[in-house]
């Protein structure tokens, strides 16, 4: 999952296969979305061990919503699998990371048809075990996927074959490319949920040798990680959801050292667009939140409260910025066990429209121009 309440995943025992999906509902209409065009994909992870991840598609040109695009449009006659955590677009293919099923699902982004399933398993003394992939990034024809088993795999994006596997820290939970290197946030979350110490490091992996060359201490339980246009790498260290709160950290990718630690920015999730970071915090103890914007060039907060029109959320769960319009999309997981909502805001933080009950725990967005 995208947020730290995911301690469920650390109880992982077996893997769950994909169910057949026979009764597919028809697409539904959309509210007035104004000038929007193309498609917005929304990945919904579902519930752990429930095998109910879905991929929703907001088709602005047709003015319809496909809550289960994988079957409604792609006619794949099966589900995505158990706990889809991340997705990314590369060369016309939509790559979806399905953690508990230990699969990478590759779709044709126009037709929705499955092109390939890439299983990520390891041979151990106890048999074949899933790596539990979490996040994905791309560089020069290769896909890089970090997995909870402490590895990063390199996949050729044309043959879909796993070329190499390297090790990093404990339970990696985020991955980014900057300055010819991979940066992998090591959460140690499996250990943390069992009362053992979290990891506190980011692994630096050289892309040429595909070997870890350094670990950078950034703070407890690092998660989301992303680079800006200047090559700075930002990561959120989520703390322990109790006495140690989250913080926002900047890594210098030239020196591979922590350049700044923003201890007053307890962000748990963020996205960078045009060197502005849109971030939010959610306090699980008090169920309070904030949503802020941050200038990655000036290294300072732009706005203490992005939403300006009084719109409220139950539990912010995902955040995304439209690459052309600058609109900001925020998902609300509500109670985690019922379908969440999607909100679209303009650049000034005013609500443009809301799509209700798009899927269970919507965590990621991706816009595609048809």
């Amino acid at each position: 999952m995208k947020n730290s309440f995911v301690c469920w995943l650390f109880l992982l025992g077996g893997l769950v296969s994909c169910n057949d999906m026979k009764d597919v509902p028809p697409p539904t209409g959309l509210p007035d979305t104004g000038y929007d065009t193309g498609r917005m994909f929304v990945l919904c992870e579902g519930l752990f061990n429930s095998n109910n991840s879905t991929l929703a598609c907001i088709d602005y040109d047709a003015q319809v919503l496909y809550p289960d695009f994988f079957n409604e449009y792609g006619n794949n006659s099966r589900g995505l699998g158990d706990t889809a955590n991340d997705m990314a677009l590369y060369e016309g293919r939509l790559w979806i990371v399905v953690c508990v099923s230990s699969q990478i699902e590759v779709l044709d982004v126009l037709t929705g048809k499955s092109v390939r399933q890439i299983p990520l398993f390891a041979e151990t003394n106890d048999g074949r075990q899933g790596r539990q992939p979490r996040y994905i990034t791309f560089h020069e024809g290769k896909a890089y996927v970090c997995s909870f088993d402490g590895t990063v795999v390199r996949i050729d994006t044309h043959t879909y074959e796993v070329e190499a596997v390297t090790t990093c820290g404990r339970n990696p939970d985020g991955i980014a490319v900057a300055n010819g290197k991979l940066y992998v946030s090591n959460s140690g979350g499996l250990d943390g949920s069992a009362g053992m110490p979290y990891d506190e490091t980011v692994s630096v992996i050289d892309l040429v040798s595909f070997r870890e060359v350094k670990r950078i201490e950034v703070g407890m339980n690092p998660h989301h990680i992303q680079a800006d246009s200047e090559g700075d790498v930002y990561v959120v260290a989520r703390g322990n959801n109790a006495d140690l709160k989250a913080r926002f950290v900047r890594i210098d990718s030239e020196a591979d050292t922590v350049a700044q630690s923003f201890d007053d920015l307890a962000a748990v999730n963020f996205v960078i667009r045009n060197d502005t970071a849109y971030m939010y915090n959610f306090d699980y103890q008090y169920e309070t939140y904030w949503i802020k914007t941050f200038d990655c060039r000036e290294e300072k907060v732009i706005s203490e409260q992005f939403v300006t029109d009084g719109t409220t959320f139950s539990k912010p769960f995902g955040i995304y910025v439209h690459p052309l319009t600058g609109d900001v999309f925020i998902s609300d997981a509500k109670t985690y066990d019922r379908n969440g909502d999607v909100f679209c805001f303009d650049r000034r933080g005013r609500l443009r429209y809301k799509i209700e009950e798009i899927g269970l725990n919507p965590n990621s967005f991706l816009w595609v121009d048809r």
Side-chain angles (χ1 to χ4, degrees):
M1 290 187 177
K2 292 284 179 180
N3 285 293
S4 53
F5 89 93
V6 207
C7 291
W8 50 262
L9 192 50
F10 313 140
L11 303 176
L12 180 64
L15 297 171
V16 181
S17 61
C18 303
N19 290 331
D20 289 337
M21 304 287 286
K22 296 181 180 179
D23 299 323
V24 176
T28 59
L30 293 177
D32 182 9
T33 59
Y35 49 73
D36 289 344
T37 60
R39 287 172 170 172
M40 181 68 74
F41 291 95
V42 184
L43 187 64
C44 303
E45 66 190 44
L47 287 174
F48 168 65
N49 259 351
S50 297
N51 202 28
N52 57 354
S53 297
T54 56
L55 177 66
C57 177
I58 305 167
D59 191 325
Y60 294 111
D61 300 323
Q63 275 296 290
V64 296
L65 166 68
Y66 296 95
D68 187 1
F69 179 82
F70 189 68
N71 283 290
E72 294 169 87
Y73 200 89
N75 296 313
N76 290 294
S77 300
R78 57 181 171 82
L80 270 179
D82 201 319
T83 319
N85 281 138
D86 193 23
M87 64 176 171
L89 183 69
Y90 194 77
E91 295 182 344
R93 298 288 190 258
L94 186 60
W95 295 60
I96 301 175
V97 180
V98 190
C99 181
V100 180
S101 295
S102 287
Q103 300 282 337
I104 307 298
E105 184 75 60
V106 186
L107 309 181
D108 183 296
V109 74
L110 295 180
T111 66
K113 290 295 294 182
S114 176
V115 176
R116 184 70 64 91
Q117 280 186 298
I118 306 171
L120 294 184
F121 288 81
E123 300 296 334
T124 71
N125 293 333
D126 298 325
R128 196 165 176 256
Q129 293 186 356
R131 294 192 182 279
Q132 305 166 54
R134 290 285 283 167
Y135 290 91
I136 189 169
T137 192
F138 298 89
H139 183 71
E140 295 183 349
K142 310 296 181 184
Y144 296 91
V145 182
C146 65
S147 297
F148 259 154
D149 70 341
T151 63
V152 176
V153 301
R154 185 178 70 209
I155 303 170
D156 187 285
T157 58
H158 297 106
T159 66
Y160 305 111
E161 297 296 327
V162 174
E163 290 185 334
V165 181
T166 193
T167 57
C168 51
R170 292 183 289 124
N171 314 135
D173 218 3
I175 189 167
V177 176
N179 200 21
K181 292 167 282 189
L182 285 173
Y183 292 82
V184 183
S185 53
N186 303 311
S187 71
L190 296 177
D191 297 332
S193 67
M196 298 168 62
Y198 286 96
D199 204 325
E200 299 185 0
T201 64
V202 167
S203 289
V204 183
I205 297 173
D206 178 73
L207 281 170
V208 176
S209 65
F210 200 46
R211 291 290 183 269
E212 183 185 56
V213 294
K214 188 174 183 179
R215 290 190 189 178
I216 307 167
E217 292 191 7
V218 296
M220 183 182 288
N221 195 14
H223 189 206
H224 293 283
I225 190 166
Q226 191 174 350
D228 67 8
S229 67
E230 297 179 317
D232 286 337
V233 177
Y234 294 84
V235 61
V236 292
R238 293 172 294 181
N240 59 7
N241 293 320
D243 58 299
L244 186 64
K245 67 178 184 179
R247 62 178 174 176
F248 195 53
V249 177
R250 178 170 71 92
I251 296 171
D252 180 336
S253 68
E254 293 288 343
D256 286 333
T257 57
V258 170
Q260 282 179 282
S261 179
F262 303 92
D263 296 340
D264 57 341
L265 279 179
V268 296
N269 194 2
F270 73 102
V271 63
I272 297 174
R273 178 68 63 184
N274 295 328
D275 290 328
T276 296
Y278 298 78
M279 60 179 66
Y280 68 79
N281 167 274
F282 182 75
D283 188 308
Y284 291 93
Q285 181 177 1
Y286 299 103
E287 296 203 347
T288 58
Y289 66 88
W290 51 250
I291 302 169
K292 300 182 181 184
T293 55
F294 178 88
D295 189 323
C296 294
R297 290 182 179 270
E298 298 295 328
E299 311 298 347
K300 64 180 183 180
V301 172
I302 300 170
S303 172
E304 292 288 346
Q305 185 54 269
F306 169 73
V307 176
T308 59
D309 63 0
T311 301
T312 60
F313 308 86
S314 296
K315 295 176 177 63
F317 202 63
I319 191 164
Y320 177 79
V321 182
H322 195 291
L324 296 184
T325 67
D327 288 343
V328 178
F329 289 78
I330 300 172
S331 64
D332 188 343
K334 297 196 283 196
T335 58
Y336 303 123
D337 58 359
R338 61 191 180 100
N339 286 345
D341 302 332
V342 165
F343 298 76
C344 175
F345 295 88
D346 65 21
R347 297 183 186 189
R348 297 182 179 180
R350 299 173 302 192
L351 183 66
R352 290 191 54 227
Y353 57 87
K354 173 184 177 182
I355 299 176
E356 298 182 344
E357 298 186 356
I358 198 165
L360 195 57
N361 296 319
N363 61 29
S364 305
F365 300 84
L366 184 64
W367 178 78
V368 177
D369 186 1
R370 296 186 63 186

